[in-house]
């Protein structure tokens, strides 16, 4: 037998070749089987699919019976007592209809270019667009928007919208949502083709579409949107303005030019680019439109409002219902708007008209503002330069101009009177008009009161918001600016409870008795200070909450970990937090974006509600036109336990001290009603807050200047809280917060948070440092105080007394160990040098002086020393801490 290398290689090739043939044959057989399986599956799928499609089309509305012309019913908003507080009507749908010849061709072309470039070519559906969008739809599992033609969108807005809305009951799963989207898309395409066969008029379809499209800010249709954003009829719009409106259609909220001008500007550029590429406009027109400062006109025009505007509360109700229709019911944004403004809904709001009246009256009461009232303004005007270019100037450009010109970063546009405001405006206009002239009818001025305020009152047991104040003074100047629900400001020290002490007590191993050294503190290049620049030494958490002590707060968060504090803050319902907030400043409310007044109220409401967070809501139920419940906040509401009940009660008890002996005494309204709260201010007093609650309601008040100027007084939020809450509780039964059964009490030392040493902690030079504290079950300390020691000091040397020190020179003292220089405890501390040194004045050769003047007989020190004992160089009474 040949076992040579050549023979082995030949044998290996033969085996490999045979194996390859076998594998190839198997692959072919498997491939044929798989192909057969796929063909069978496809055939079965087609059969089932055709049956499913047939069923879907059978349930579609009959083309002979549908009407795509915008119509609808007004929606009613009711207060908590059932009285009507608002009627919502789609102004752009059936009240400001315009014909196609009144709509500029630029607007028609802009919408076609961005929404349906083959509008005049297809028969209702765009097969090329469908093929392009299908892959994206499958990847995103969202079939609600892709490749819809204008005809399809018209069907979806005015026909299928009502049909699918009436069939939506309860919160739907993602899979069910996708299923419905596919079914609706099939019906949408079918009806679109049938509609184009029926009407045979593209202009008729386009006209109805432009009169029903959702363009944000509660507008439906191009005429209503034109009046809303530009203050003029749609027939007067420029190319640039047409592109702004066309840019909104894809996402009426995200591309709203008032709320999101930068996003809309990017979309407007895309619209203009598509118009240029499709031959609707020239390069010259494109360039001119891009140079137009259209957003300056939009921003300032929209401070002017009609007298029939909604209240801040109704605005919040609309936003709440809109969001829930989209998120819980699977509506598109356009469908949600149509439901609200044309669906004939009945919205049962949570508003308490009596509480709302109290809030409005106190917010308007000048007596609540210690530093008085100043005035600021919204400003807009246009200047035509000599080269015919037009520039828009606003209150913001004015602020920036004078900050730079005067080299004063604290320059503000807040003045003592309206007259001073107008004089400042006149001077600014004069400065800007040096090289041009004022464009006729371009000037807009709206005077506002400052400082501004925001307030929310909520029933913490249900999450129902009873009243809000979105601003002080007339709402006419800031219709879209609800300071209570939309404006983010820094929460200051109110966030200490949320991001530090709540997690510390709940999961960080701390108690209200836990101690931190309130002393100068630096981490890296950041030095932390207390608001009064004083340091109290070893301070427990209760005291730190009561007196709002920064150092203790920061050190506590450092102990428990920033990630834990951030996790709890998110669990309290804050949606504006960022990863960049994961630092020690989180404990002091130094946040990237700040928080809204509404979400801060929800967080404090969770503490008031025994640790259970309930998402704040502005309505209880929404009924459709036939009286069926389509949204129900009484059963379908976000709620979860953030804190243990024991933790919530302990925090509440500490915050009761804030009201009676701490930083919140000004807010306390007495009457025996239990009250708990926390004050807050930010750097240079730019923000001032008070967050508090009773057994009935949670209320948070914010105050500050709209331009973030420095304030001279921060007391008025407390004034407002006291004034409002005292009136709200006038006829309510006096209650206290219910203490959980597992809460217990123990006497501890305030300097260590541990059990006191008998006869020592009570003999601190400043008086007894013991007190009685509340604890959750299992958290009572088991060890004795490690801060106090009893030492004997020689008066002659100032060091620990030795065995040769005369009794007359020995001073027994209770001292603090480990106190840092700069803190209030340092004066009563034992220095490290003293702890390590024994008196060097008195030794075995020391002879005490006799009053008679005669020398005493020298004693042998060994006579007093017992056999077997070592010499003791320190004299310390028992019990005490061992001193090394």
């Amino acid at each position: 037998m040949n076992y040579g290398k050549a023979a082995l290689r030949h044998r290996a090739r033969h085996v490999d070749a045979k194996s390859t043939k076998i594998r190839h044959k198997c692959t072919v057989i498997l491939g044929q089987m798989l192909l057969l399986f796929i063909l069978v599956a496809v055939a079965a799928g087609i059969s089932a699919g055709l049956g499913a499609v047939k069923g879907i089309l059978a349930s579609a509305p009959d083309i002979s019976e549908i009407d795509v012309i915008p119509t609808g019913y007004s929606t009613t908003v009711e207060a908590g007592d059932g009285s009507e507080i608002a009627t919502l009507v789609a102004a752009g749908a059936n009240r400001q209809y315009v014909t196609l010849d009144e709509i500029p061709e630029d607007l028609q072309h802009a919408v076609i270019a961005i929404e349906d470039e083959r509008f005049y070519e297809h028969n209702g559906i765009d097969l090329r667009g469908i093929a392009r969008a299908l892959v994206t739809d499958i990847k995103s599992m969202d079939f609600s928007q892709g490749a819809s033609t204008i005809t399809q969108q018209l069907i979806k807005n005015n026909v299928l919208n009502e049909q699918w809305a009436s069939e939506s009951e309860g919160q739907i799963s993602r899979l069910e949502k996708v299923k419905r989207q596919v079914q609706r898309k099939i019906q949408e395409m079918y009806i679109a083709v049938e509609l184009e066969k029926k009407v045979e008029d593209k202009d008729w379809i386009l006209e109805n579409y432009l009169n029903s499209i959702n363009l944000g800010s509660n507008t439906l249709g191009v005429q209503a949107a034109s009046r809303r954003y530009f203050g003029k009829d749609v027939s007067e719009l420029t190319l640039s303005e047409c592109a702004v409106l066309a840019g909104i259609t894809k996402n009426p909220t995200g591309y709203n030019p008032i709320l999101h001008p930068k996003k809309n500007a990017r979309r407007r550029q895309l619209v203009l680019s598509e118009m240029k590429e499709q031959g609707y406009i020239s390069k010259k027109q494109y360039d001119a439109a891009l140079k137009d400062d259209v957003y300056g006109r939009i921003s300032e025009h929209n401070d002017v409002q009609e007298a029939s505007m909604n209240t801040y509360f109704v605005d919040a109700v609309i936003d709440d219902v809109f969001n829930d229709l989209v998120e819980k019911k699977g509506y598109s944004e356009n469908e949600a708007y149509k439901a609200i403004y044309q669906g004939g809904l009945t919205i049962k709001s949570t508003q308490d008209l009596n509480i709302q009246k109290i809030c409005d009256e106190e917010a308007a009461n000048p007596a609540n503002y210690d530093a008085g009232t100043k005035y600021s303004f919204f400003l807009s005007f246009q200047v035509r330069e000599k080269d015919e270019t037009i520039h828009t100037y606003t209150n913001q450009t004015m602020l920036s101009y004078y900050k730079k010109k005067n080299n004063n970063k604290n320059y503000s546009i807040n003045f003592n009177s309206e007259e001073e405001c107008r004089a400042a405006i006149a001077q600014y206009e004069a400065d800007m008009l040096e090289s041009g002239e004022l464009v006729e009818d371009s000037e807009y001025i709206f005077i506002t009161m400052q400082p501004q305020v925001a307030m929310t009152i909520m029933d913490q047991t249900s999450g129902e918001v009873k009243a809000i104040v979105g601003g002080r003074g007339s709402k006419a100047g800031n219709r879209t600016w609800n300071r209570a629900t939309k404006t983010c400001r820094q929460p200051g020290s109110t966030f200490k409870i949320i991001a530090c002490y709540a997690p510390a007590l709940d999961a960080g191993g701390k108690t209200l008795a836990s101690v931190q050294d309130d002393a100068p503190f630096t981490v890296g290049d950041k030095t932390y200070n207390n608001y009064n620049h004083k340091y109290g030494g070893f301070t427990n958490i209760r005291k730190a909450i009561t007196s709002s002590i920064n150092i203790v707060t920061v050190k506590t968060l450092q102990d428990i970990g920033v990630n834990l504090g951030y996790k709890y803050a998110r669990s309290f319902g804050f949606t504006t937090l960022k990863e960049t907030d994961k630092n020690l400043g989180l404990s002091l409310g130094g946040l990237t974006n700040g928080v809204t007044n509404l979400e801060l109220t929800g967080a404090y409401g969770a503490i008031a509600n025994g640790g259970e967070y309930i998402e704040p809501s502005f309505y209880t139920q929404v009924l459709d036109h036939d009286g069926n419940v389509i949204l129900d906040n009484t059963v379908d509401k976000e709620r979860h336990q953030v804190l243990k009940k024991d933790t919530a009660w302990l925090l509440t008890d500490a915050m009761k001290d804030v009201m009676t002996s701490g930083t919140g005494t000004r807010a306390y309204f007495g009457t025996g009603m239990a009250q708990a709260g926390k004050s807050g201010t930010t750097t240079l007093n730019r923000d001032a807050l008070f967050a508090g609650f009773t057994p009935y309601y949670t209320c948070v008040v914010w105050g500050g200047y709209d331009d973030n100027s420095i304030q001279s007084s921060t007391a008025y939020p407390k004034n407002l809280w006291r004034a409002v809450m005292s009136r709200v509780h006038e006829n309510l039964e006096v209650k206290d917060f219910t203490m959980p059964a597992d809460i217990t009490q123990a006497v501890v030392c305030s300097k260590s948070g541990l059990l006191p040493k008998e006869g020592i902690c009570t003999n601190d030079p400043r008086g007894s440092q013991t007190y009685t504290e509340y604890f959750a079950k299992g958290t009572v300390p088991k060890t004795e105080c490690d801060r106090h020691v009893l030492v004997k000091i020689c008066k002659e040397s100032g060091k620990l007394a030795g065995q040769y020190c005369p009794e007359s020179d020995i001073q027994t003292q209770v001292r603090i160990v480990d106190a840092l220089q700069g803190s209030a405890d340092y004066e009563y501390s034992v220095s490290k040098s003293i702890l390590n040194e024994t008196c060097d004045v008195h030794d075995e050769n020391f002879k005490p002086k006799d009053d008679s003047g005669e020398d005493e007989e020298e004693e042998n020190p060994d006579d007093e020393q017992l056999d077997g004992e070592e010499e003791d160089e320190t004299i310390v009474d028992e019990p005490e801490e061992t001193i090394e």
Side-chain angles (χ1 to χ4, degrees):
M1 191 172 289
N2 187 355
Y3 290 102
K5 292 182 179 179
L8 289 173
R9 285 196 295 270
H10 175 77
R11 177 66 179 166
R13 286 196 296 269
H14 177 73
V15 172
D16 286 345
K18 188 174 182 180
S19 299
T20 301
K21 290 178 180 178
I22 293 172
R23 285 198 300 269
H24 177 70
K25 189 173 183 179
C26 290
T27 301
V28 171
I29 294 172
L30 289 173
Q32 291 174 338
M33 292 175 64
L34 180 62
L35 180 60
L36 180 61
F37 175 79
I38 292 173
L39 290 173
V40 171
V42 168
I46 292 174
S47 177
L50 289 173
V53 170
K54 185 177 180 181
I56 292 171
L57 296 182
S59 64
D62 189 331
I63 189 64
S64 64
E65 297 177 0
I66 67 172
D67 184 1
V68 297
I69 298 175
T71 59
Y73 303 95
S74 62
T75 287
T76 300
V77 182
E78 297 177 351
D81 62 2
S83 59
E84 184 177 315
I85 56 176
T87 299
L88 310 179
V89 179
N94 57 359
R95 293 177 57 173
Q96 297 183 25
Y97 194 98
V98 286
T99 57
L100 198 61
D101 60 0
E102 297 175 272
I103 301 174
E105 284 194 352
D106 280 339
L107 181 53
Q108 298 177 41
H109 294 157
V111 171
I112 291 171
I114 197 65
E115 289 294 318
D116 187 1
E117 62 180 289
R118 285 177 287 277
F119 173 69
Y120 287 110
E121 302 169 15
H122 62 64
N123 66 340
I125 59 175
D126 182 1
L127 295 179
R128 276 189 285 174
I130 291 172
R132 185 180 63 249
L134 185 59
V135 175
T136 302
D137 286 348
I138 292 174
K139 287 181 178 179
S140 65
M141 291 301 288
D142 183 355
F143 298 86
S144 62
Q145 299 295 332
S148 289
T149 64
I150 285 176
T151 312
Q152 287 177 252
Q153 292 182 54
L154 179 63
I155 296 297
K156 181 170 63 176
N157 292 344
N158 297 321
V159 180
L160 296 181
N161 176 41
E162 280 104 23
Q163 179 196 7
W164 284 90
S166 64
E167 295 176 7
S168 297
E169 295 183 6
Q171 190 166 348
I172 61 174
S173 66
R174 179 172 175 80
L175 183 61
E176 179 64 22
K177 180 178 179 180
V178 170
K179 178 182 176 183
R180 291 188 180 194
Q181 287 174 345
V182 173
Q183 291 175 350
R184 180 159 38 181
K185 182 67 71 175
I186 292 172
Q187 288 188 348
E188 182 185 294
M189 291 188 291
Y190 168 71
I191 299 174
V193 173
E194 293 299 308
L195 180 64
E196 293 222 3
K197 289 180 182 177
K198 177 182 178 182
V199 298
E200 297 181 349
D201 186 350
K202 289 281 188 176
D203 286 348
W204 183 90
I205 291 173
L206 182 62
E207 178 178 305
N208 280 281
Y209 172 77
L210 292 174
N211 276 285
S212 62
I213 187 68
N214 173 20
L215 291 170
S217 293
N218 302 340
T219 64
L220 291 171
V222 293
Q223 173 67 355
S226 179
R227 298 297 306 174
R228 177 71 178 90
Y229 297 123
F230 305 108
K232 57 186 177 183
D233 289 333
V234 66
S235 60
E236 301 173 13
L237 293 183
T238 65
L239 170 61
S240 173
E241 292 164 344
C242 289
V244 168
L245 293 189
I248 300 172
T249 56
K250 183 176 182 180
N251 186 339
T253 300
Y255 293 125
N256 185 308
I258 300 174
L259 301 177
H260 305 290
K262 291 182 180 179
K263 291 182 179 180
N264 182 274
R266 291 193 290 269
R267 185 72 177 166
R268 178 185 69 133
Q269 183 173 1
L270 178 61
V271 171
L272 292 169
S273 177
E274 288 293 329
M275 293 180 73
K276 178 169 68 71
E277 291 300 318
Q278 295 175 37
Y280 289 118
I281 59 174
S282 66
K283 177 68 164 57
K284 182 178 180 181
Q285 289 175 298
Y286 171 83
D287 293 336
L290 281 184
K291 291 179 181 179
D292 178 31
D293 183 19
V294 66
Y295 297 99
R297 298 196 300 277
I298 291 174
S299 175
E300 301 309 324
H301 163 73
N302 280 280
D303 292 322
V304 184
Q305 306 301 327
E306 62 272 20
S308 60
M309 72 186 71
N310 296 323
T311 65
Y312 286 116
F313 196 96
V314 171
D315 283 346
V317 171
I318 295 169
D319 290 341
D320 209 11
V321 172
F322 175 84
N323 291 334
D324 284 350
L325 286 173
V326 172
E327 295 172 10
K328 295 181 179 180
K329 306 291 288 182
Y331 284 30
S332 68
E333 288 195 357
N334 197 65
E335 290 165 346
Y337 266 98
K338 295 280 284 187
I340 291 171
Y341 288 96
Q342 286 185 279
L345 306 179
T346 298
I347 302 174
K348 297 180 179 294
S349 86
T350 60
Q351 187 177 39
D352 185 308
L353 294 178
N354 181 57
I355 294 178
Q356 185 66 62
K357 181 173 181 289
I358 291 171
C359 290
D360 292 339
E361 289 174 353
E362 295 300 339
N365 185 355
N368 288 320
Y369 301 88
D370 303 78
T373 298
K374 290 184 176 294
Y375 298 87
S376 188
F377 48 83
F378 292 102
L379 168 69
S380 176
F381 63 91
Q382 292 181 313
V383 173
R384 181 179 288 106
E385 306 294 349
K386 292 179 180 178
D387 62 358
E388 294 300 314
T389 60
I390 295 178
H391 292 135
T392 299
Y393 298 94
T394 70
N395 47 290
Q396 290 300 317
T397 61
M398 177 179 176
L399 192 62
S400 300
Y401 175 77
Y402 286 119
K403 280 184 176 181
K404 183 176 181 179
K405 179 180 179 181
N406 300 334
N407 193 26
N408 178 11
K409 64 180 182 180
N410 291 324
Y411 173 84
S412 77
I413 53 173
N414 301 298
F415 300 92
N416 292 321
S417 66
E418 294 190 30
E419 290 72 22
E420 288 185 18
C421 286
R422 297 188 184 280
I425 292 169
Q427 180 59 54
Y428 179 59
E429 289 183 343
D431 290 345
M432 297 301 102
L433 287 168
E434 288 181 355
S435 59
E437 61 179 4
L438 186 69
V439 175
E440 186 178 1
D441 296 327
S442 69
E443 183 186 56
Y444 167 69
I445 300 171
F446 181 81
I447 306 295
T448 64
M449 302 172 73
Q450 301 290 334
Q452 273 296 334
V453 296
M455 185 188 313
T456 304
I457 294 185
M458 184 183 81
D459 178 346
Q460 60 261 16
T461 63
S462 64
E464 295 180 4
V465 178
K466 298 302 179 182
I468 62 170
V469 174
R472 179 185 177 201
S474 172
K475 184 174 180 280
N478 55 351
R479 181 177 184 176
T480 60
W481 193 356
N482 189 330
R483 297 173 182 86
T485 61
K486 294 184 177 179
T487 302
C488 286
R489 297 290 292 239
Q490 297 299 323
S493 293
T494 61
F495 224 61
K496 291 176 178 177
I497 303 295
I498 303 301
C500 178
Y501 295 125
L505 268 60
D506 204 58
K510 302 293 185 182
T511 71
L512 288 177
S514 296
V515 166
Q516 299 285 358
D517 191 5
D518 180 21
F521 184 56
T522 299
V523 178
D525 58 356
K526 172 66 176 178
T527 297
Y528 294 92
N529 293 294
N530 292 322
Y531 71 92
N532 59 3
H533 295 279
K534 296 180 181 180
Y535 306 94
F538 294 106
T539 304
N540 59 41
I541 287 178
R542 178 181 287 274
K543 174 65 175 176
I545 292 174
T546 303
S547 300
S548 197
I549 300 172
N550 293 343
I551 302 299
V552 176
T553 310
V554 175
K555 287 185 174 181
T556 299
L557 183 61
Q558 187 180 55
D559 278 358
I560 67 172
V562 170
N563 286 339
L564 182 64
Y566 183 86
K567 175 184 175 183
Y568 268 76
R570 294 279 296 186
S571 187
F572 270 114
F574 292 100
T575 60
T576 56
L577 297 179
K578 301 294 182 183
E579 287 293 312
T580 51
D581 293 323
K582 288 185 177 180
N583 59 74
L584 291 177
L586 174 71
S587 64
L588 304 179
L591 307 176
T592 304
N593 293 330
V595 301
T596 66
N597 183 270
L598 176 66
E599 290 190 347
L600 189 58
T601 306
Y604 269 78
I607 301 171
N609 191 40
E612 184 187 24
Y613 171 81
I614 304 177
E615 184 179 13
S617 60
F618 289 87
Y619 72 90
T620 55
Q621 289 183 322
V622 176
L623 281 59
D624 66 15
H625 183 62
D626 297 318
N628 302 307
V629 176
I630 60 172
L631 286 172
D632 193 344
N633 259 338
T634 63
V635 295
D636 184 21
K637 183 183 294 188
E638 170 60 28
R639 58 197 304 157
H640 58 266
Q641 199 73 26
V642 182
L643 305 173
K644 295 186 282 287
K645 288 185 177 182
D646 292 353
T647 304
W649 187 89
L650 291 169
L651 290 169
T652 298
D653 193 66
M655 287 191 283
K656 288 173 70 175
D657 289 354
V658 173
M659 306 293 289
T660 56
S661 60
T663 58
T665 54
R666 181 184 282 260
Y668 186 61
F669 60 81
T671 74
M673 182 70 72
Q675 302 158 57
K678 183 72 188 72
S679 59
T681 55
T682 59
T683 304
L684 298 178
N685 296 332
R686 297 184 190 275
D687 300 274
L689 305 96
F690 193 81
F693 51 87
T694 70
Y696 292 97
Y697 297 110
T698 300
C699 175
V700 176
V701 182
W702 166 86
Y705 287 103
D706 282 336
D707 67 357
N708 209 30
S709 292
I710 298 170
Q711 299 188 86
S712 61
S713 172
T714 59
Y716 63 94
K718 299 173 188 176
N719 295 342
L720 285 167
W721 197 94
R722 183 189 66 249
V724 168
M725 292 293 271
S726 63
R727 292 178 61 186
V728 168
H729 288 79
E730 277 180 357
N731 299 315
L732 298 178
E733 178 187 352
V734 172
K735 286 185 180 180
D736 197 356
F737 301 105
T738 304
M739 183 175 70
D742 287 340
I743 297 293
T744 187
Q745 288 182 299
V747 176
V748 293
C749 174
S750 64
K751 290 299 175 180
S752 65
L754 304 176
L755 300 177
K757 290 179 177 178
E758 185 177 352
I760 296 180
C761 297
T762 54
N763 289 311
D764 186 287
R766 296 158 290 185
S768 175
Q769 298 299 303
T770 64
Y771 78 106
T772 301
E773 183 57 272
Y774 289 105
F775 294 88
K777 184 179 180 180
T779 64
V780 176
K782 295 179 174 60
T783 57
E784 287 189 337
C785 174
D786 57 2
R787 294 299 175 201
H788 282 111
V789 293
L790 185 66
V791 296
K792 290 188 175 183
I793 305 295
C794 177
K795 290 188 290 185
E796 288 291 326
S797 64
K799 300 178 181 179
L800 292 178
Q803 64 176 347
Y804 302 109
C805 295
E807 287 295 331
S808 60
D809 286 346
I810 296 175
Q811 188 176 36
T812 302
Q813 299 175 344
V814 174
R815 292 297 183 96
I816 296 287
V817 295
D818 293 336
L820 296 179
Q821 189 170 2
S823 78
D825 281 333
Y826 187 73
E827 180 184 349
Y828 306 96
S829 67
V830 181
S831 67
K832 291 183 178 180
S833 61
I834 292 177
L835 292 176
N836 294 323
E837 297 181 13
T838 304
C839 175
D840 55 5
V841 173
H842 304 110
D843 57 21
E844 66 272 15
N845 298 316
F846 173 72
K847 294 182 179 180
K849 292 183 179 180
D850 191 340
D851 290 341
S852 64
E854 297 179 0
D855 290 339
E856 295 183 0
E857 182 180 353
E858 182 177 349
E859 297 181 0
N860 185 346
D862 292 335
D863 293 344
E864 295 298 319
Q865 185 172 330
L866 300 177
D867 291 342
E869 289 186 343
E870 296 183 12
E871 183 173 328
D872 187 3
E873 295 185 348
T874 63
I875 302 175
V876 182
D877 289 348
E878 294 289 346
E880 80 288 314
E881 180 182 82
T882 302
I883 301 175
E884 297 179 355

